[in-house]
Amino acid sequence: MKHFALKPCLTACLFCCSANAFADITWSGFANIIGGKSPGGESLYGYDDGFSFNEDSLLGLQASSSLGDGLGMTVQVISRGSDDWEPLFEWAIISYDINEDWRVLFGRQRTPANMFSDFVDVGFAYPWIQPPRGMYSPSFDSYDGIGSIYNFSLGDTDNTFHVLFGRSFDNPFGDVVDNIDIKDYAIAAWSIEWEWLTFRLSYNVSELEVDFPTVDGLADALAAGDAGLPDVDLTQLAEDMKMDGDSRSTASVGVKVQKDQLFFVAEYSDSDDGDNFLGDSSAWYTTLGWSFDEVMVYAIYGENEEEANIDIFEQLPTLNGASYIVSSGADNVYGTDDDGLDFVTPATAYAVMASRNSETSYYSLGLRWSFHDSASINFEYTEESDDLNQADDNSVLRVGISAAF
Amino acid sequence: MKKSNYSLLFALMMGLLSTLTPLAYAEVAVIVHPSISDELSKKYIARLFLGKEKKFPGGSAAIPLYQVPGTSARKSFDAVILKKSVSQIKGYWSRLVFTGKSVPPKEVDGDSEVLALIAKDPKFIGYVDAGSADSSVKVLLKF
């Protein structure tokens, strides 16, 4: 679930407690109305061969209030087409300005993982329809905790140092995963801006707990089924598959150039997900755009790699020269116990773990027309290909209007 | 040359000269309360209006006053000082507003409102058509 019942109560209480608050509320909002279709039926990002508006469209409303003495409150509610337009609190923070360069935030807030993470939902704020999906997933972008944003100058450069410490229970995979708990999430991000050039670094660590019945069940069966494998202890292997309290770290680096008509960004991110089902992953993309008055044409290219955590199987010995991870059918003595009952073999576990291996690349070509002071329209075509399995390419053609007030 | 040719030549020269001079924007004055003694460069003014500086060089608080899009002073200011279109300025502020880092800048309807606010309060800085500036405010610079 993305929202907490606590937050609306907190919001209501604070607004009521401050008699001046109602006179001092600043309303702002944004909308992305995006429609798309996967031509040829090879669906991408949830679209199919019929034109649909529900996947990426959203409306956001934000209320900000100054409570005096450096204290402020901001709440942001977003309704997404993909959630049946149910309004949810994405942001609910109390901010305190230690001085005009240093703000501390308490509550639910966005993580500054990458260059466009802070405002990933505000289509109007960047030139594409969305930040590249390979690096910016629609989930895990908000954490409940404490943040600090500090601005400072170094010579001719403007710098921001943003840290956040928090927790997330966000579970976008509710149909296959019972529970996600990202604990002790800590991130530090530093960006340095000189005229038209911005450079950015971020690093985060967290502890991950995921209740994933398919993987957990497989791991438990593997550990329990060593009745037929008296010399082999599979409990360590089983533990290595599960995501229960594993440490995870991600490093990101990015550069942006925005000079006259030129727009260029490149970002790279590398995650070490620990010894578990997730394995390690890395992603990068680059984009180039050129403006002609109110029109910008742009291209994006990116690659993603997920590396299955199959090194853990190397701890298994072989028996009579046969590897545990290769199933040789009915004759594989490690596939049945003495009563002829099948139990999970390391080969099955290996196949599930190895399925995490993935290499994809994608490109987008698009155009943005800022036809109005407060609104723009995008036309964007994206194609993603599976470089590992050589399956058919998936593609989507999207058109979107983004506005902000 | 014949008289008509001189006229034609004159017209052509004027036409050529007008393309060489920058687009004619209204002359604009950046104004503050008369008690402010700081001197500001165009670059510093741009930084104030983009929220990158929040104080006058002397240390007192500085809050920029935008005019609503469409006024002649706004058009000149956006083009000459900020060097961004209205859409780009909105995009810039939306990146700060929707991340909880800032509130949108104050926008007022026109010259008379800007003058009224600045004459009363030393923490504001704004811009008006140069001809509107009166003795109730101090002109920092004109462009």
Side-chain angles (χ1 to χ4, degrees):
Chain A
M1 275 206 301
K2 270 197 134 169
H3 72 277
F4 282 78
L6 179 65
K7 294 292 181 239
C9 294
L10 188 70
T11 311
C13 287
L14 278 159
F15 268 123
C16 293
C17 292
S18 171
N20 291 329
F22 283 110
D24 217 5
I25 297 179
T26 307
W27 293 93
S28 20
F30 50 93
N32 305 338
I33 305 298
I34 300 169
K37 178 185 152 97
S38 281
E42 296 298 335
S43 105
L44 185 61
Y45 304 152
Y47 291 91
D48 56 29
D49 56 3
F51 202 78
S52 158
F53 281 91
N54 280 345
E55 278 66 31
D56 293 320
S57 297
L58 59 85
L59 300 171
L61 190 61
Q62 176 166 309
S64 256
S65 177
S66 167
L67 305 172
D69 294 325
L71 258 148
M73 231 182 83
T74 304
V75 291
Q76 192 186 94
V77 171
I78 297 189
S79 294
R80 295 176 193 272
S82 54
D83 284 341
D84 284 326
W85 300 100
E86 190 191 329
L88 296 173
F89 280 88
E90 300 258 342
W91 267 83
I93 51 155
I94 294 176
S95 60
Y96 177 64
D97 290 340
I98 295 174
N99 55 51
E100 78 265 349
D101 292 322
W102 194 1
R103 170 171 284 192
V104 185
L105 310 166
F106 305 92
R108 166 157 282 218
Q109 55 203 277
R110 288 254 187 277
T111 173
N114 293 302
M115 204 172 277
F116 302 91
S117 301
D118 292 25
F119 46 93
V120 66
D121 291 318
V122 187
F124 189 74
Y126 39 75
W128 327 281
I129 273 196
Q130 277 174 348
R133 199 67 87 85
M135 184 159 292
Y136 293 85
S137 84
S139 316
F140 309 119
D141 48 14
S142 291
Y143 288 81
D144 302 321
I146 301 178
S148 153
I149 303 175
Y150 181 63
N151 295 312
F152 61 99
S153 293
L154 275 176
D156 280 339
T157 63
D158 290 315
N159 295 261
T160 302
F161 187 65
H162 189 165
V163 298
L164 166 63
F165 182 75
R167 191 168 184 175
S168 167
F169 294 102
D170 193 13
N171 182 8
F173 310 114
D175 45 352
V176 291
V177 170
D178 288 343
N179 192 46
I180 295 181
D181 183 1
I182 305 180
K183 283 199 291 209
D184 293 338
Y185 178 86
I187 184 169
W190 169 53
S191 79
I192 175 168
E193 194 181 313
W194 174 77
E195 293 193 16
W196 41 264
L197 179 65
T198 304
F199 180 72
R200 201 177 183 282
L201 278 175
S202 81
Y203 184 74
N204 74 63
V205 295
S206 60
E207 247 182 54
L208 187 65
E209 249 179 56
V210 179
D211 294 334
F212 192 169
T214 308
V215 171
D216 294 344
L218 196 61
D220 289 338
L222 201 62
D226 59 0
L229 304 162
D231 299 326
V232 180
D233 181 0
L234 293 174
T235 50
Q236 183 56 50
L237 186 70
E239 280 314 300
D240 285 347
M241 285 174 65
K242 292 187 186 181
M243 293 164 279
D244 51 1
D246 293 317
S247 292
R248 185 172 186 257
S249 65
T250 305
S252 282
V253 61
V255 63
K256 178 174 76 164
V257 171
Q258 216 162 355
K259 184 169 171 40
D260 302 327
Q261 293 157 293
L262 174 69
F263 177 75
F264 169 79
V265 178
E267 289 201 273
Y268 174 77
S269 174
D270 195 281
S271 282
D272 178 352
D273 284 299
D275 285 331
N276 56 41
F277 171 70
L278 280 181
D280 296 338
S281 58
S282 67
W284 73 272
Y285 77 90
T286 183
T287 183
L288 187 64
W290 195 265
S291 298
F292 305 91
D293 290 332
E294 296 95 28
V295 173
M296 180 193 274
V297 290
Y298 57 84
I300 308 173
Y301 177 77
E303 288 180 0
N304 281 57
E305 191 178 313
E306 318 254 355
E307 223 177 279
N309 189 19
I310 48 180
D311 293 349
I312 54 175
F313 291 92
E314 284 171 11
Q315 62 189 272
L316 295 181
T318 59
L319 182 76
N320 299 332
S323 162
Y324 276 75
I325 63 175
V326 175
S327 165
S328 54
D331 292 335
N332 182 358
V333 72
Y334 303 102
T336 52
D337 64 10
D338 291 336
D339 295 321
L341 295 169
D342 283 335
F343 58 88
V344 169
T345 65
T348 314
Y350 181 86
V352 169
M353 295 289 279
S355 70
R356 284 290 297 171
N357 270 332
S358 145
E359 268 173 44
T360 55
S361 62
Y362 57 92
Y363 74 86
S364 295
L365 294 171
L367 178 155
R368 161 163 285 194
W369 175 26
S370 304
F371 65 90
H372 186 277
D373 288 343
S374 305
S376 310
I377 185 165
N378 276 69
F379 300 91
E380 193 174 295
Y381 175 75
T382 303
E383 203 171 284
E384 187 183 276
S385 57
D386 183 337
D387 298 329
L388 202 63
N389 300 322
Q390 306 296 317
D392 283 337
D393 292 349
N394 294 348
S395 62
V396 66
L397 179 65
R398 289 181 289 184
V399 59
I401 294 184
S402 53
F405 72 87
Chain B
M1 273 201 280
K2 285 206 232 160
K3 252 201 181 162
S4 54
N5 284 350
Y6 273 118
S7 307
L8 185 62
L9 189 61
F10 183 79
L12 277 172
M13 276 177 61
M14 285 289 99
L16 189 66
L17 278 170
S18 71
T19 63
L20 294 176
T21 57
L23 205 55
Y25 288 113
E27 200 192 15
V28 169
V30 177
I31 55 174
V32 289
H33 189 269
S35 67
I36 299 292
S37 56
D38 303 88
E39 277 182 29
L40 272 57
S41 63
K42 283 186 187 166
K43 185 169 172 186
Y44 196 92
I45 292 169
R47 286 174 65 82
L48 272 174
F49 275 79
L50 292 175
K52 291 183 183 176
E53 301 287 354
K54 301 193 177 107
K55 292 194 181 148
F56 287 106
S60 57
I63 300 178
L65 292 174
Y66 278 65
Q67 289 198 15
V68 291
T71 68
S72 66
R74 165 103 194 216
K75 283 186 196 159
S76 298
F77 190 84
D78 285 356
V80 177
I81 300 290
L82 297 182
K83 303 190 177 107
K84 290 182 202 285
S85 67
V86 176
S87 180
Q88 286 169 326
I89 292 167
K90 272 199 88 69
Y92 173 84
W93 281 104
S94 68
R95 288 191 282 278
L96 293 174
V97 166
F98 297 116
T99 54
K101 289 175 183 156
S102 193
V103 285
K106 217 167 147 62
E107 263 185 18
V108 295
D109 285 327
D111 289 354
S112 49
E113 242 195 89
V114 177
L115 287 164
L117 284 167
I118 287 185
K120 278 190 301 198
D121 199 331
K123 66 178 188 284
F124 288 123
I125 176 171
Y127 52 84
V128 292
D129 277 329
S132 305
D134 58 25
S135 55
S136 66
V137 297
K138 174 176 166 184
V139 174
L140 277 181
L141 61 85
K142 288 190 197 178
F143 59 87

